[in-house]
PDB file of all heavy atoms in Angstrom:
ATOM      1  N   MET N  79      71.582  36.560 112.923  1.00 50.00           N
ATOM      2  CA  MET N  79      72.042  37.475 111.903  1.00 50.00           C
ATOM      3  C   MET N  79      73.300  38.158 112.376  1.00 50.00           C
ATOM      4  O   MET N  79      73.508  38.573 113.470  1.00 50.00           O
ATOM      5  CB  MET N  79      70.850  38.615 111.773  1.00 50.00           C
ATOM      6  CG  MET N  79      71.192  39.624 110.583  1.00 50.00           C
ATOM      7  SD  MET N  79      69.982  40.848 110.456  1.00 50.00           S
ATOM      8  CE  MET N  79      68.578  39.885 110.200  1.00 50.00           C
ATOM      9  N   LEU N  90      69.379  49.514 104.216  1.00 55.00           N
ATOM     10  CA  LEU N  90      68.446  49.332 103.236  1.00 55.00           C
ATOM     11  C   LEU N  90      67.038  49.836 103.773  1.00 55.00           C
ATOM     12  O   LEU N  90      66.752  49.541 104.923  1.00 55.00           O
ATOM     13  CB  LEU N  90      68.315  47.880 102.771  1.00 55.00           C
ATOM     14  CG  LEU N  90      69.527  47.259 102.056  1.00 55.00           C
ATOM     15  CD1 LEU N  90      69.421  45.812 101.801  1.00 55.00           C
ATOM     16  CD2 LEU N  90      69.763  48.077 100.807  1.00 55.00           C
ATOM     17  N   SER N  95      67.022  52.606  96.172  1.00 77.00           N
ATOM     18  CA  SER N  95      66.878  52.267  94.850  1.00 77.00           C
ATOM     19  C   SER N  95      67.346  50.832  94.483  1.00 77.00           C
ATOM     20  O   SER N  95      68.288  50.360  95.277  1.00 77.00           O
ATOM     21  CB  SER N  95      67.548  53.267  93.881  1.00 77.00           C
ATOM     22  OG  SER N  95      69.052  53.093  94.057  1.00 77.00           O
ATOM     23  N   ARG N 106      78.714  43.976 100.477  1.00 82.00           N
ATOM     24  CA  ARG N 106      78.773  43.100 101.572  1.00 82.00           C
ATOM     25  C   ARG N 106      79.433  41.753 101.119  1.00 82.00           C
ATOM     26  O   ARG N 106      80.308  41.165 101.751  1.00 82.00           O
ATOM     27  CB  ARG N 106      77.346  42.858 102.071  1.00 82.00           C
ATOM     28  CG  ARG N 106      77.225  41.765 103.143  1.00 82.00           C
ATOM     29  CD  ARG N 106      75.918  41.211 103.253  1.00 82.00           C
ATOM     30  NE  ARG N 106      75.557  40.458 102.031  1.00 82.00           N
ATOM     31  CZ  ARG N 106      74.391  39.875 101.778  1.00 82.00           C
ATOM     32  NH1 ARG N 106      73.421  40.078 102.685  1.00 82.00           N
ATOM     33  NH2 ARG N 106      74.101  39.125 100.635  1.00 82.00           N
ATOM     34  N   GLU N 121      93.754  30.086 109.544  1.00 95.00           N
ATOM     35  CA  GLU N 121      93.295  28.989 110.413  1.00 95.00           C
ATOM     36  C   GLU N 121      92.434  28.055 109.597  1.00 95.00           C
ATOM     37  O   GLU N 121      91.186  28.157 109.606  1.00 95.00           O
ATOM     38  CB  GLU N 121      92.529  29.432 111.661  1.00 95.00           C
ATOM     39  CG  GLU N 121      92.275  28.308 112.612  1.00 95.00           C
ATOM     40  CD  GLU N 121      91.529  28.863 113.947  1.00 95.00           C
ATOM     41  OE1 GLU N 121      91.353  30.074 114.040  1.00 95.00           O
ATOM     42  OE2 GLU N 121      91.225  28.028 114.805  1.00 95.00           O
ATOM     43  N   SER N 128      76.947  20.900 108.904  1.00 97.00           N
ATOM     44  CA  SER N 128      76.289  19.517 108.968  1.00 97.00           C
ATOM     45  C   SER N 128      74.817  19.615 108.628  1.00 97.00           C
ATOM     46  O   SER N 128      74.093  18.578 108.571  1.00 97.00           O
ATOM     47  CB  SER N 128      76.582  18.825 110.186  1.00 97.00           C
ATOM     48  OG  SER N 128      76.216  19.716 111.287  1.00 97.00           O
ATOM     49  N   LEU N 129      74.360  20.823 108.499  1.00 98.00           N
ATOM     50  CA  LEU N 129      72.832  20.974 108.118  1.00 98.00           C
ATOM     51  C   LEU N 129      72.751  22.246 107.194  1.00 98.00           C
ATOM     52  O   LEU N 129      73.304  23.276 107.434  1.00 98.00           O
ATOM     53  CB  LEU N 129      71.996  21.326 109.315  1.00 98.00           C
ATOM     54  CG  LEU N 129      70.517  21.426 109.083  1.00 98.00           C
ATOM     55  CD1 LEU N 129      69.880  20.040 108.925  1.00 98.00           C
ATOM     56  CD2 LEU N 129      69.883  22.097 110.291  1.00 98.00           C
ATOM     57  N   ARG N 169      85.451  29.356  93.400  1.00 95.00           N
ATOM     58  CA  ARG N 169      86.334  30.081  94.460  1.00 95.00           C
ATOM     59  C   ARG N 169      87.079  29.088  95.377  1.00 95.00           C
ATOM     60  O   ARG N 169      87.960  29.536  96.192  1.00 95.00           O
ATOM     61  CB  ARG N 169      85.482  31.000  95.218  1.00 95.00           C
ATOM     62  CG  ARG N 169      84.780  32.026  94.442  1.00 95.00           C
ATOM     63  CD  ARG N 169      84.092  33.172  95.138  1.00 95.00           C
ATOM     64  NE  ARG N 169      83.379  34.040  94.242  1.00 95.00           N
ATOM     65  CZ  ARG N 169      82.706  35.113  94.685  1.00 95.00           C
ATOM     66  NH1 ARG N 169      82.771  35.458  95.855  1.00 95.00           N
ATOM     67  NH2 ARG N 169      82.136  35.840  93.811  1.00 95.00           N
ATOM     68  N   TRP N 173      87.691  29.051 100.463  1.00 97.00           N
ATOM     69  CA  TRP N 173      86.865  30.247 100.575  1.00 97.00           C
ATOM     70  C   TRP N 173      85.565  30.033 101.176  1.00 97.00           C
ATOM     71  O   TRP N 173      85.142  30.776 102.051  1.00 97.00           O
ATOM     72  CB  TRP N 173      86.552  30.740  99.092  1.00 97.00           C
ATOM     73  CG  TRP N 173      85.752  31.882  98.989  1.00 97.00           C
ATOM     74  CD1 TRP N 173      86.049  33.270  98.974  1.00 97.00           C
ATOM     75  CD2 TRP N 173      84.220  31.992  98.930  1.00 97.00           C
ATOM     76  NE1 TRP N 173      85.006  34.062  98.921  1.00 97.00           N
ATOM     77  CE2 TRP N 173      83.847  33.291  98.908  1.00 97.00           C
ATOM     78  CE3 TRP N 173      83.231  30.967  98.895  1.00 97.00           C
ATOM     79  CZ2 TRP N 173      82.445  33.622  98.859  1.00 97.00           C
ATOM     80  CZ3 TRP N 173      81.861  31.405  98.836  1.00 97.00           C
ATOM     81  CH2 TRP N 173      81.553  32.758  98.812  1.00 97.00           C
ATOM     82  N   THR N 188      77.253  23.735 112.765  1.00 97.00           N
ATOM     83  CA  THR N 188      77.006  24.911 111.994  1.00 97.00           C
ATOM     84  C   THR N 188      76.158  24.601 110.851  1.00 97.00           C
ATOM     85  O   THR N 188      76.090  23.410 110.438  1.00 97.00           O
ATOM     86  CB  THR N 188      78.377  25.655 111.674  1.00 97.00           C
ATOM     87  OG1 THR N 188      78.030  26.901 111.137  1.00 97.00           O
ATOM     88  CG2 THR N 188      79.074  24.756 110.679  1.00 97.00           C
ATOM     89  N   HIS N 198      69.583  24.113  91.270  1.00 95.00           N
ATOM     90  CA  HIS N 198      70.718  24.163  90.386  1.00 95.00           C
ATOM     91  C   HIS N 198      70.977  22.647  89.926  1.00 95.00           C
ATOM     92  O   HIS N 198      71.041  21.852  90.852  1.00 95.00           O
ATOM     93  CB  HIS N 198      71.884  24.756  91.136  1.00 95.00           C
ATOM     94  CG  HIS N 198      73.043  25.011  90.256  1.00 95.00           C
ATOM     95  ND1 HIS N 198      74.013  24.152  89.900  1.00 95.00           N
ATOM     96  CD2 HIS N 198      73.437  26.274  89.721  1.00 95.00           C
ATOM     97  CE1 HIS N 198      74.883  24.732  89.165  1.00 95.00           C
ATOM     98  NE2 HIS N 198      74.573  25.908  89.007  1.00 95.00           N
ATOM     99  N   HIS N 200      73.807  21.241  89.400  1.00 95.00           N
ATOM    100  CA  HIS N 200      75.011  20.613  89.802  1.00 95.00           C
ATOM    101  C   HIS N 200      75.281  20.718  91.288  1.00 95.00           C
ATOM    102  O   HIS N 200      76.107  20.080  91.873  1.00 95.00           O
ATOM    103  CB  HIS N 200      76.278  21.215  89.064  1.00 95.00           C
ATOM    104  CG  HIS N 200      76.114  21.042  87.588  1.00 95.00           C
ATOM    105  ND1 HIS N 200      76.185  19.935  86.916  1.00 95.00           N
ATOM    106  CD2 HIS N 200      76.009  22.029  86.736  1.00 95.00           C
ATOM    107  CE1 HIS N 200      75.968  20.100  85.544  1.00 95.00           C
ATOM    108  NE2 HIS N 200      75.917  21.451  85.378  1.00 95.00           N
ATOM    109  N   ILE N 222      52.523  28.927  93.092  1.00 96.00           N
ATOM    110  CA  ILE N 222      52.051  30.101  92.520  1.00 96.00           C
ATOM    111  C   ILE N 222      52.476  31.311  93.394  1.00 96.00           C
ATOM    112  O   ILE N 222      53.030  32.246  92.957  1.00 96.00           O
ATOM    113  CB  ILE N 222      50.557  30.110  92.387  1.00 96.00           C
ATOM    114  CG1 ILE N 222      50.191  28.975  91.415  1.00 96.00           C
ATOM    115  CG2 ILE N 222      50.010  31.486  91.935  1.00 96.00           C
ATOM    116  CD1 ILE N 222      48.625  28.803  91.287  1.00 96.00           C
ATOM    117  N   PRO N 256      68.608  29.003  77.266  1.00 95.00           N
ATOM    118  CA  PRO N 256      70.075  29.046  76.910  1.00 95.00           C
ATOM    119  C   PRO N 256      70.993  28.829  78.123  1.00 95.00           C
ATOM    120  O   PRO N 256      72.031  28.178  78.003  1.00 95.00           O
ATOM    121  CB  PRO N 256      70.349  30.478  76.356  1.00 95.00           C
ATOM    122  CG  PRO N 256      68.936  30.919  75.804  1.00 95.00           C
ATOM    123  CD  PRO N 256      67.991  30.266  76.793  1.00 95.00           C
ATOM    124  N   ARG N 260      73.771  25.825  78.555  1.00 94.00           N
ATOM    125  CA  ARG N 260      75.179  26.165  78.889  1.00 94.00           C
ATOM    126  C   ARG N 260      75.568  25.373  80.200  1.00 94.00           C
ATOM    127  O   ARG N 260      76.745  24.942  80.326  1.00 94.00           O
ATOM    128  CB  ARG N 260      75.403  27.581  79.010  1.00 94.00           C
ATOM    129  CG  ARG N 260      76.832  27.914  79.094  1.00 94.00           C
ATOM    130  CD  ARG N 260      77.138  29.387  78.979  1.00 94.00           C
ATOM    131  NE  ARG N 260      78.561  29.690  79.403  1.00 94.00           N
ATOM    132  CZ  ARG N 260      79.067  30.864  79.367  1.00 94.00           C
ATOM    133  NH1 ARG N 260      78.359  31.874  79.070  1.00 94.00           N
ATOM    134  NH2 ARG N 260      80.348  31.063  79.816  1.00 94.00           N
ATOM    135  N   TRP N 272      68.890  32.038  84.513  1.00 93.00           N
ATOM    136  CA  TRP N 272      68.497  30.778  85.274  1.00 93.00           C
ATOM    137  C   TRP N 272      68.199  31.174  86.693  1.00 93.00           C
ATOM    138  O   TRP N 272      67.199  30.733  87.375  1.00 93.00           O
ATOM    139  CB  TRP N 272      69.585  29.798  85.127  1.00 93.00           C
ATOM    140  CG  TRP N 272      69.401  28.569  85.951  1.00 93.00           C
ATOM    141  CD1 TRP N 272      69.965  28.129  87.113  1.00 93.00           C
ATOM    142  CD2 TRP N 272      68.575  27.449  85.442  1.00 93.00           C
ATOM    143  NE1 TRP N 272      69.620  26.957  87.511  1.00 93.00           N
ATOM    144  CE2 TRP N 272      68.748  26.460  86.573  1.00 93.00           C
ATOM    145  CE3 TRP N 272      67.780  27.059  84.377  1.00 93.00           C
ATOM    146  CZ2 TRP N 272      68.068  25.189  86.414  1.00 93.00           C
ATOM    147  CZ3 TRP N 272      67.182  25.873  84.266  1.00 93.00           C
ATOM    148  CH2 TRP N 272      67.233  24.994  85.325  1.00 93.00           C
ATOM    149  N   LEU N 302      59.765  19.994 104.427  1.00 98.00           N
ATOM    150  CA  LEU N 302      58.751  20.795 105.286  1.00 98.00           C
ATOM    151  C   LEU N 302      57.958  21.551 104.272  1.00 98.00           C
ATOM    152  O   LEU N 302      58.372  22.075 103.382  1.00 98.00           O
ATOM    153  CB  LEU N 302      59.402  21.802 106.240  1.00 98.00           C
ATOM    154  CG  LEU N 302      60.272  21.181 107.315  1.00 98.00           C
ATOM    155  CD1 LEU N 302      61.019  22.278 108.044  1.00 98.00           C
ATOM    156  CD2 LEU N 302      59.545  20.303 108.249  1.00 98.00           C
ATOM    157  N   GLU N 305      53.699  26.436 104.201  1.00 95.00           N
ATOM    158  CA  GLU N 305      52.462  26.827 104.827  1.00 95.00           C
ATOM    159  C   GLU N 305      52.222  26.286 106.179  1.00 95.00           C
ATOM    160  O   GLU N 305      51.742  26.950 107.112  1.00 95.00           O
ATOM    161  CB  GLU N 305      51.316  26.472 103.881  1.00 95.00           C
ATOM    162  CG  GLU N 305      51.180  27.310 102.612  1.00 95.00           C
ATOM    163  CD  GLU N 305      52.240  26.874 101.578  1.00 95.00           C
ATOM    164  OE1 GLU N 305      52.837  25.812 101.700  1.00 95.00           O
ATOM    165  OE2 GLU N 305      52.501  27.607 100.641  1.00 95.00           O
ATOM    166  N   ALA N 314      57.463  23.164 113.426  1.00 96.00           N
ATOM    167  CA  ALA N 314      58.491  23.097 112.328  1.00 96.00           C
ATOM    168  C   ALA N 314      59.940  23.133 112.878  1.00 96.00           C
ATOM    169  O   ALA N 314      60.812  22.314 112.574  1.00 96.00           O
ATOM    170  CB  ALA N 314      58.264  24.045 111.293  1.00 96.00           C
ATOM    171  N   PHE N 345      47.466  39.541  91.344  1.00 81.00           N
ATOM    172  CA  PHE N 345      47.586  39.637  89.860  1.00 81.00           C
ATOM    173  C   PHE N 345      46.328  39.105  89.251  1.00 81.00           C
ATOM    174  O   PHE N 345      45.412  38.609  89.943  1.00 81.00           O
ATOM    175  CB  PHE N 345      48.825  38.818  89.334  1.00 81.00           C
ATOM    176  CG  PHE N 345      48.921  37.507  89.798  1.00 81.00           C
ATOM    177  CD1 PHE N 345      48.313  36.374  89.264  1.00 81.00           C
ATOM    178  CD2 PHE N 345      49.808  37.145  90.779  1.00 81.00           C
ATOM    179  CE1 PHE N 345      48.427  35.166  89.774  1.00 81.00           C
ATOM    180  CE2 PHE N 345      49.954  35.849  91.312  1.00 81.00           C
ATOM    181  CZ  PHE N 345      49.237  34.828  90.734  1.00 81.00           C
ATOM    182  N   HIS N 347      43.084  37.375  87.167  1.00 90.00           N
ATOM    183  CA  HIS N 347      42.484  35.978  87.169  1.00 90.00           C
ATOM    184  C   HIS N 347      43.111  35.242  86.107  1.00 90.00           C
ATOM    185  O   HIS N 347      43.242  33.931  86.271  1.00 90.00           O
ATOM    186  CB  HIS N 347      40.974  36.183  87.200  1.00 90.00           C
ATOM    187  CG  HIS N 347      40.457  36.656  88.519  1.00 90.00           C
ATOM    188  ND1 HIS N 347      40.515  36.009  89.729  1.00 90.00           N
ATOM    189  CD2 HIS N 347      39.851  37.944  88.700  1.00 90.00           C
ATOM    190  CE1 HIS N 347      39.915  36.863  90.602  1.00 90.00           C
ATOM    191  NE2 HIS N 347      39.474  37.890  90.035  1.00 90.00           N
TER     192      HIS N 347
END
Side-chain angles (χ1 to χ4, degrees):
M79 185 181 299
L90 294 175
S95 71
R106 176 203 65 186
E121 188 178 358
S128 50
L129 185 75
R169 299 187 184 187
W173 177 90
T188 187
H198 193 277
H200 306 294
I222 297 176
R260 185 170 172 185
W272 176 260
L302 299 173
E305 289 75 16
F345 49 82
H347 291 291

